[in-house]
Amino acid sequence: MAMTTATTEITTSVIEIVADVLGADVADLRPDTDLRTVEGADSIKVLRIIARIEQRYDVELDDEDVFGVSTVEQVATVVAAAVGS
């Protein structure tokens, strides 16, 4: 699936948030990175990541949508759908 410009920007933003919350290096994260495999990731930190994304984009993401995805790109797709991109 080709990413739109908005989704690409959201993906970059999600990567920055993930890196910040998990203390990871942005350069080590890619759109296909499985968030469950990032060192330091646990359920509490994933919730923090989601909360930060919701704050940044002023959206509320459905738990089913969020917990049904695992990669940065999939999270960005859910966010893009929520913001109407």
Side-chain angles (χ1 to χ4, degrees):
M1 174 170 116
M3 290 198 303
T4 65
T5 302
T7 306
T8 302
E9 290 171 5
I10 292 170
T11 300
T12 300
S13 178
V14 169
I15 286 173
E16 291 168 356
I17 291 169
V18 169
D20 187 49
V21 172
L22 299 182
D25 189 336
V26 171
D28 292 338
L29 302 171
R30 299 187 328 264
D32 64 348
T33 298
D34 187 327
L35 295 176
R36 298 168 296 189
T37 65
V38 178
E39 187 173 338
D42 61 29
S43 58
I44 300 297
K45 288 184 180 171
V46 169
L47 289 173
R48 285 186 191 146
I49 290 166
I50 299 308
R52 293 266 302 271
I53 291 168
E54 288 177 333
Q55 287 174 341
R56 178 169 288 181
Y57 291 98
D58 193 27
V59 295
E60 188 169 326
L61 303 175
D62 290 329
D63 289 345
E64 298 82 28
D65 293 338
V66 172
F67 292 106
V69 298
S70 58
T71 68
V72 170
E73 184 176 9
Q74 290 170 335
V75 172
T77 301
V78 169
V79 174
V83 298
S85 295

